[in-house]
Amino acid sequence: MANNSFRGSKHGRHGEANHEGEFSCSLQELRSLMELRGAESLTKIQECYGDVNGLCARLRTSPVEGLDGNSEDIDRRKQEFGQNLIPPKKPKTFVQLVWEALQDVTLIILEVAAIISLGLSFYSPPDAGRQNCGSAAGGVEEESEAEAGWIEGAAILLSVVCVVLVTAFNDWSKEKQFRGLQSRIEQEQKFTVVRGGQVIQIQVSELVVGDIAQVKYGDLLPTDGVLIQSNDLKIDESSLTGESDHVKKSLDRDPMLLSGTHVMEGSGKMLVTAVGVNSQTGIILMLLGASEEGDDDDKEKKGKSKDGASVEMTPLNEDGEPEKKTSLPKKEKSVLQGKLTKMTVQIGKAGLFMSALTVIILIVRFLIDTFWIQAVPWNTECIPIYVQFLVKFFIIGVTVLVVAVPEGLPLAVTISLAYSVKKMMKDNNLVRHLDACETMGNATAICSDKTGTLTMNRMTVVQTYIAGRYYKKVPEPDLIPAKILELLITGIGVNCAYTTKIMPPEKEGGLARQVGNKTECALLGLSIKLHRDYQTIRNEIPEEKLFKVYTFNSVRKSMSTVLKMHDGSYRMYSKGASEILLRKCCKILTASGEAKAFKPRDRDDLVKKVIEPMASEGLRTICLAYRDFPAADGEPEWDEEAHILTNLTCIAVVGIEDPVRPEVPEAIRKCQRAGITVRMVTGDNINTARAIATKCGILQPGDDFLCMEGKEFNRRIHNELGEIEQERIDKIWPKLRVLARSSPTDKHTLVKGIIDSTVLEQRQVVAVTGDGTNDGPALKKADVGFAMGIAGTDVAKEASDIILTDDNFTSIVKAVMWGRNVYDSISKFLQFQLTVNVVAVIVAFTGACITQDSPLKAVQMLWVNLIMDTFASLALATEPPTEALLLRNPYGRNKPLISRTMMKNILGHAIYQLTIIFTLLFIGEKIFDIDSGRNAPLHAPPSEHYTIVFNTFVLMQIFNELNARKIHGERNVFEGIFKNPIFCSIVLGTLVTQIAIVQFGGKPFSCVRLTIEQWLWCVFLGLGSLLWGQLVSSVPTSWLRFLKTAGHGTQQDEISEDELEEMKDLDEIDHAEMELKRGQVLWCRGLNRIQTQIRVVNAFRDSVSPYEGLETPESRSSIHNFMSHPEFRIEDSEPQIPLIDEVEGEEEAPTKRNSIVIPPPLTGLSHLPPLPSSPNQNNSALDRIVPLHKDASRSVMETPGNVIK
């Protein structure tokens, strides 16, 4: 036997490795082997290697012991066969990002205007001519002042440079951090291998050719391999082949396992034969990368199946044309994004109109004043002066536009979401898709699993029915007949997955650790309580000796293992849900140890006297049984399950307790108070489910709510033709609270039914939890899918939006709180921003029209706009959430971003600020007894008058920032202010900078120094906005019915047929994209930033971060460490798992954990239909990143449009 050659000391192996220096199997040979499928691959293996063991021998590994784990051997394998990594593409350089930031149209206009202004300032017309060009151009100008004319142009250019550098730096640090986060998620992903005879978990990137890997239900395969041993293994290869049927893998039919495919059933062991760029998926990814580098304009379109757990490509047919896909109902994208984009477009249009009007009025006034009123004759010598005026007017117009367009908005959204995501990690929520964070705030329903989420997932057997007696606690072993005990212990030992174990406690006196499936752990725990060791049985009957295993799945609801006995007969042990397995029993073991007939009447008795009492106490009941197949009857037909799984003999029924988590009832109470309905969807029987739901508070005594089983649910929602009818679902779901014995399909049907329902006024926003592979479709269909970080399979995690790292329901409530906080943060910022915008635009416009000059100069406007926008967005977007957020109902999809109360605040404060500004502007010189700053000539020096106007304006904004902290009409605007150090430091920082600008800014900022008295008046007028705020909040909103709300989302029924037709290629309705297509507003690059920035996890760890020093970096070496300290710092680790970027995906594109998206064959690219491109493609500063072993069906970041150039 080949195995024997591997026994021996490490030195022997080591020595052998050194002498030979090479493996007797080349990389090319393995690559060509992995390209074969089915029978071809079997023939090739038999011809070249004899069998899989022969291949193991060539690769110097043992199918039983695995590699010895010697680091030299591992390194040599990496050199010979490659690492399990794909080299990353280069990230964008800082210069590229600067170039992209310069594409902003508003900035380009400012640059051009500044350069013209700069050029003209050096041109000095003859003095004689100047007097003849009109009074505005004349004026006694000192020589030094005339020479200082270049300062304004230079200052504008300088502020443009600042903006560009800040934008580029933000994008660069975001890309760096995103890659860091991405690689962190990658590195936490482990896979189970056998090394040196020990089963250990290693990072996916550490897998090498020759490793023996254990594959099990729910895994996403990280490498290619050949099967060594399998139990009922079925693989979903749709991500590679497009075929949705599961492929059965076995040693005698098809032993080839490919990377990027999902294990849907069963378990097994494989020999790793190809890793990284040499695996099937790696080859395709490298082709994709190469084709992109060769031609950057080739962008791939990724396909994605909405309702499958896996990603499916659109298969190309013979001619290379994509096959037609059936139309699926579209899932609407982020609500907030749609509302924001719609609103930004509207504000932008208004700003463009105002700025154009300002320029026209200024020019017309100038022409009338100069040529008509003063009757100045046309003189060619005056042209440069007139051009200078034109440029000045143009700069004022652009400044109005800059102030009107709220570029701070995308930044506020990014900061708010990124800050929330970072903090949510501490609350055990690992957010994979940024929108999910905000959508969660609108959630109206949560469909939760029971086991592990509502309960502790620490199972123990507390009651048993064995040998004809019902024990309320586990009996002593001497009370059970020896024969029955033997059957029970052997059955438990071999018929539980060998990966399930009970380990000694980590701390002295702690609870034993349960590893693997918790129900199986409970049974193993029972055998320990009965003073028997299950491990000795497993040592006698290793996994390789199991004849056949029918693994557990949601259809069978049972697991069976067949052993071949010495006399040629077979014995099968089964365990499963008691009411299902008892129907298949025809005998039961009695007190004497003998089997007696078990009739339907006996079964009904057992159900009534044992199973129902157990279930009513919230216990999960499991039946253990066995069946003998005598040798005389010949070998049974193992594939005919219906004949095999019948005529069983019942050994025992056990009741397993899984206690409710102590914090869950309170969390559910909070949800109910916050207007969120919690429903339990479980596979347990209805009595157990009802008992647990009552303990949790989902069901209250005396409530008129429904509890039903999956069968009954299906019967009620299908019509006579067997079709599901929405009206029928609508009759059930509003009252349904518990769905028991449900299959994953039932879960998906329920979620889809609730989302599509129109019974209630507002569309329901549904969150779903899931841990199994089959929960994939429901997790994807839900508005927010939560996967379990501990118990969840890779497939479930990949289909989800948020991963609960502690599997605890209370973390979902935290997610709701953060989601609502994001929404409120954006509203706070909007309230502040719009007040600034309204006031600044009106002041600039009116001032320009009346005094021929804007009271707020271009550079001052840029300071107000860029610095205060950015700072205010940082200050208001980082407000921590409070419990008060859970005291109101969800906003829903149709709630406007700006409520009537907010509109009242915006207009109320705008009135105060405008009154003050205009008073200062027109009679300020009399109040302060200073020279007037109005009607100053072209290059006049800055005046005290206009400096006071500017200073008062900025101080009013600073104090109004405090008012903006409350949006629901609360009076105490200081409440909780010290809980937000960022806010305090930004307000103080802005104040200090403002003092510096006024006192030392001089000509560039058009300021002169003010006296203490003038400063005190400015501060007093600024403080007045706080007092005025109290007055505004005293006016009942109900009196102001005439105020309109703003920022409504687009409803699906408002979308025209043509637009729906255009969107048929997309999986989701992206409201933001539609608004952009409708508006086609050139300078709305800021909006596009909403799409890129909103998806970026910005952990705020760059060098200028205000968070610097708040947290200490922790080294993280294992997934347990990562999960227990999730507030990691990104810089801790450089990305080690490379990523391929520059792949633009579908709207909801990829970072699924460890599977890979395969593009259609590259030859068919020329036939792909072009998609509507987004208004600005060069803005996605962050390219798509498709990491190794990731599939591309949904991503932490998404690009604004699908583009094939």
Side-chain angles (χ1 to χ4, degrees), residues 759-899:
V759 181
L760 301 183
E761 197 177 327
Q762 64 175 37
R763 152 156 148 44
Q764 297 282 296
V765 176
V766 184
V768 168
T769 67
D771 53 5
T773 301
N774 297 339
D775 289 328
L779 287 170
K780 254 191 190 154
K781 179 66 194 170
D783 293 287
V784 182
F786 284 90
M788 301 299 146
I790 303 167
T793 60
D794 287 348
V795 179
K797 286 176 188 171
E798 157 194 306
S800 69
D801 301 292
I802 298 179
I803 295 171
L804 294 179
T805 54
D806 63 347
D807 291 12
N808 192 340
F809 186 82
T810 44
S811 303
I812 300 177
V813 181
K814 297 259 179 64
V816 171
M817 211 154 81
W818 277 107
R820 291 185 175 190
N821 192 53
V822 166
Y823 214 90
D824 280 8
S825 296
I826 304 299
S827 295
K828 286 172 190 175
F829 175 71
L830 270 173
Q831 181 175 304
F832 174 73
Q833 165 96 48
L834 292 180
T835 313
V836 180
N837 284 14
V838 168
V839 176
V841 169
I842 293 176
V843 167
F845 175 70
T846 322
C849 297
I850 296 172
T851 67
Q852 275 207 38
D853 188 4
S854 170
L856 299 173
K857 301 289 181 288
V859 180
Q860 295 174 351
M861 287 279 220
L862 285 172
W863 153 242
V864 169
N865 184 58
L866 298 163
I867 313 300
M868 288 194 58
D869 271 11
T870 309
F871 281 178
S873 60
L874 189 60
L876 291 166
T878 52
E879 287 275 310
T882 60
E883 288 284 331
L885 290 166
L886 294 175
L887 299 177
R888 60 167 174 79
N889 282 353
Y891 281 147
R893 284 183 168 261
N894 312 341
K895 165 90 166 57
L897 270 174
I898 299 177
S899 62

Side-chain angles (χ1 to χ4, degrees), residues 162-389:
C162 286
V163 176
V164 167
L165 288 177
V166 167
T167 311
F169 182 72
N170 272 350
D171 287 347
W172 176 78
S173 61
K174 278 186 304 210
E175 176 154 349
K176 178 166 165 278
Q177 287 157 358
F178 180 71
R179 284 179 171 237
L181 177 68
Q182 196 72 338
S183 81
R184 175 57 56 90
I185 292 174
E186 302 312 293
Q187 284 174 21
E188 298 312 327
Q189 200 213 318
K190 305 283 181 73
F191 210 73
T192 312
V193 294
V194 181
R195 282 196 179 168
Q198 296 293 313
V199 177
I200 57 167
Q201 284 203 324
I202 59 168
Q203 281 182 15
V204 163
S205 55
E206 290 301 312
L207 285 167
V208 291
V209 170
D211 258 323
I212 306 297
Q214 289 193 343
V215 296
K216 61 181 185 313
Y217 158 82
D219 280 343
L220 281 155
L221 301 181
T223 62
D224 291 355
V226 178
L227 205 56
I228 296 176
Q229 174 254 326
S230 74
N231 300 321
D232 207 10
L233 192 61
K234 286 186 185 157
I235 306 277
D236 175 358
E237 292 189 345
S238 59
S239 54
L240 280 176
T241 62
E243 292 292 328
S244 54
D245 291 344
H246 298 169
V247 183
K248 199 160 185 187
K249 298 285 180 182
S250 62
L251 292 168
D252 50 0
R253 279 161 71 181
D254 181 1
M256 304 314 245
L257 299 178
L258 307 170
S259 56
T261 58
H262 303 159
V263 182
M264 301 307 280
E265 242 180 76
S267 61
K269 276 188 191 173
M270 73 167 183
L271 165 69
V272 175
T273 52
V275 294
V277 293
N278 300 309
S279 65
Q280 289 304 292
T281 314
I283 292 168
I284 296 168
L285 271 178
M286 290 313 284
L287 277 174
L288 179 63
S291 73
E292 278 186 355
E293 280 181 15
D295 179 5
D296 268 347
D297 293 343
D298 270 359
K299 297 284 182 191
E300 293 298 312
K301 175 178 185 288
K302 294 278 166 285
K304 168 179 147 214
S305 95
K306 200 67 212 145
D307 285 330
S310 65
V311 179
E312 244 173 76
M313 301 318 305
T314 310
L316 297 185
N317 60 19
E318 309 278 297
D319 313 324
E321 293 291 330
E323 291 175 6
K324 292 278 174 283
K325 281 203 286 196
T326 52
S327 160
L328 293 161
K330 298 192 187 306
K331 176 171 166 182
E332 295 182 55
K333 276 198 73 179
S334 166
V335 194
L336 182 66
Q337 230 181 313
K339 289 179 184 176
L340 278 177
T341 313
K342 190 172 183 178
M343 205 166 115
T344 317
V345 170
Q346 289 162 347
I347 295 172
K349 283 178 183 169
L352 192 60
F353 173 73
M354 290 293 281
S355 65
L357 200 62
T358 310
V359 174
I360 291 165
I361 290 175
L362 282 169
I363 293 172
V364 170
R365 255 200 73 160
F366 174 74
L367 293 175
I368 292 172
D369 185 49
T370 308
F371 296 113
W372 189 20
I373 297 173
Q374 296 178 39
V376 174
W378 176 257
N379 185 346
T380 48
E381 284 180 358
C382 290
I383 290 176
I385 290 179
Y386 295 150
V387 170
Q388 240 167 328
F389 268 104

Side-chain angles (χ1 to χ4, degrees), residues 653-671:
V653 174
V654 297
I656 296 177
E657 182 184 47
D658 186 7
V660 171
R661 287 178 183 265
E663 64 276 24
V664 162
E666 176 57 25
I668 286 178
R669 243 196 321 282
K670 280 183 186 167
C671 281

Side-chain angles (χ1 to χ4, degrees), residues 334-337 417 434-442 819 822-823:
S334 166
V335 194
L336 182 66
Q337 230 181 313
L417 283 173
L434 266 176
D435 315 10
C437 174
E438 160 257 319
T439 312
M440 205 51 216
N442 289 318
V822 166
Y823 214 90

